[in-house]
């Protein structure tokens, strides 16, 4: 039996893309598929997003872009590399018809470039907008707090508008991420770059359904062993969970090496449809779940999906959904990957 399986729902990606396009009110949707599509599988997500109306793909590195180019269906897709690159990568980008972002040094020539200005992120980005050269096709910036700080976000939107208002109309202006697209009508400009919302995960740490989004990933495993603990017995490293009365636990063959993080102890998962608590220390390859009673070996466990939200796991782990999903190991050595198109 497979230790666990990830199911990617391409229909959910497509519908999330459509929802974001509506929120973007006439701007183009660019699908952010960096970090292997936020752990979901970049080529599959990219194809579904394009079918949902996205007109470009955004990644962080030239190597990520080249992986997309190698997929026949994506050979012609517009691909923008948002992170920094070196000389060699400029040559590779040119050969592969990628677009680059100038975020500090000289503006690369012979390849399409977006100028990135810093409107408040305080990270990558030019402090002043230089005169666009012939290779420049777009001007961009990045929002620092669209999920949490309306005043600062509005300030960034104003700064971006002022910096770009007198530019040639042919240049694409793009600023908004998922949170900016969903909450700030004025942030959309000519294109929006959406990642997290495309996957049906909330940028706000809330229920994605509130923004009309559907989670695209399910993660399932099973009870590989049901075991009765007597008072005083413990489960897992460090004896962090000691039974004070007789209790059944289910051992599930996923652990932190699969992306079920050590700080997710206490989060809830579904055992045969019932919400149950993960107890004890998360091991590299196993977790323990508190049960009401003995269950059969093979009883299904839903780690993500059917209402078990990435956002809840993130809250328990005191982090954000982005970090949970990019930490999942969906490679064939640890799990099966299933593609659903409904
Ligand atoms: C990752 C990234 C995005 C997407 O952000 P989400 O919050 O996932 O929508 C947009 N723009 C840039 C520059 C990014 O690095």
């Amino acid at each position: 039996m497979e230790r666990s399986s990830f199911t990617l729902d391409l229909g959910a990606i497509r519908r999330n893309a459509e929802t974001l396009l509506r929120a973007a009110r006439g701007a183009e949707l660019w699908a952010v598929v960096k970090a292997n599509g936020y752990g979901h599988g970049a080529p599959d997500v990219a194809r579904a997003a394009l079918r949902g109306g996205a007109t470009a793909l955004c990644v962080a590195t030239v190597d990520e872009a080249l992986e997309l180019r190698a997929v026949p269906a994506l050979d012609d897709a517009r691909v923008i590399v948002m992170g920094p690159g070196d000389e060699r990568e400029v040559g590779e980008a040119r050969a592969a018809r990628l677009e680059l972002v100038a975020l500090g040094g000289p503006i690369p020539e012979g390849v399409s470039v977006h100028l990135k200005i810093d409107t408040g992120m305080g990270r990558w980005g030019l402090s002043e907008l230089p005169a666009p050269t012939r290779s420049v096709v777009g001007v961009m910036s990045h929002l620092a707090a669209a999920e949490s700080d309306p005043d600062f976000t509005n300030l960034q939107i104003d700064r971006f508008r002022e910096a770009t208002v007198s530019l040639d109309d042919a240049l694409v202006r793009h600023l908004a991420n998922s949170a900016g697209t969903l909450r700030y009508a004025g942030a959309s400009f000519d294109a929006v770059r959406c990642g997290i919302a495309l996957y049906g995960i909330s940028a706000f740490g809330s229920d994605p359904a509130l923004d009309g989004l559907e989670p695209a990933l399910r993660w399932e495993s099973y009870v590989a062993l049901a075991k009765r603990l007597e008072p005083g017995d413990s489960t897992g490293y460090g004896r962090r969970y000691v039974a004070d009365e007789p209790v059944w636990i289910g051992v599930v063959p996923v652990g932190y090496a699969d992306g079920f993080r050590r700080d997710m102890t206490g989060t809830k998962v579904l055992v045969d449809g019932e919400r149950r608590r993960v107890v004890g220390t998360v091991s590299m390859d196993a977790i323990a779940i508190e049960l009401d009673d003995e269950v059969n070996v093979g009883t299904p466990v839903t780690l993500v999906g059917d209402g078990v939200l990435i956002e809840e796991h993130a809250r328990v782990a005191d982090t954000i959904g982005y970090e949970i999903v990019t930490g999942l190991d969906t490679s064939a050595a640890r799990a099966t990957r299933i593609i659903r198109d409904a």
Side-chain angles (χ1 to χ4, degrees), residues 264-311:
M264 275 163 43
T265 294
T267 199
K268 303 268 177 61
V269 298
L270 296 177
V271 179
D272 212 9
E274 300 282 334
R275 284 177 99 80
R276 302 278 179 225
R277 196 160 63 103
V278 175
V279 295
T281 304
V282 171
S283 304
M284 191 182 295
D285 311 303
I287 55 173
I289 300 173
E290 200 176 45
L291 303 174
D292 266 359
D293 208 343
E294 184 170 16
V295 301
N296 293 330
V297 166
T299 298
V301 174
T302 306
L303 303 163
V304 173
D306 286 339
V308 178
L309 296 174
I310 291 283
E311 290 81 353

Side-chain angles (χ1 to χ4, degrees), residues 61-63 65-66 69 75 77 79-81 85-101 106-113 133-135:
T61 69
V62 169
D63 284 339
L66 294 176
R69 269 288 176 267
D75 185 50
V79 181
I80 295 131
V81 180
D86 58 24
E87 266 314 305
R88 177 185 58 83
E89 289 173 317
V90 173
E92 289 176 342
R94 194 177 294 127
R97 296 160 284 119
L98 308 175
E99 300 178 25
L100 296 179
V101 171
I107 304 175
E109 287 300 323
V111 57
S112 295
V113 174
T133 60
R134 270 190 346 146
S135 58

Side-chain angles (χ1 to χ4, degrees), residues 145 148-158 184:
S148 58
D149 189 336
D151 289 343
F152 194 72
T153 304
N154 284 318
L155 178 67
Q156 283 197 274
I157 294 169
D158 289 345
Y184 298 85

Side-chain angles (χ1 to χ4, degrees), residues 18 42 45 57 62 64 100 116 129 171 181 187 190 213 225 229 235 237 239 276 319 331:
E18 289 162 3
V45 170
L57 307 170
V62 169
E64 286 181 343
L100 296 179
K116 183 167 189 175
L129 187 61
L171 297 178
T181 304
D190 302 318
L213 301 168
L225 179 70
L229 301 183
T235 178
Y237 289 111
R239 306 195 72 233
R276 302 278 179 225
T319 183
S331 69

Side-chain angles (χ1 to χ4, degrees), residues 32 34 38 82 116 123 140 142 176-179 193-197 203 322:
V32 180
K34 61 192 177 189
Y38 290 40
M82 301 186 297
K116 183 167 189 175
R123 208 180 56 178
M140 67 186 283
H142 193 32
N177 53 8
S178 296
R193 306 181 307 267
C194 294
I196 201 77
Y322 297 75

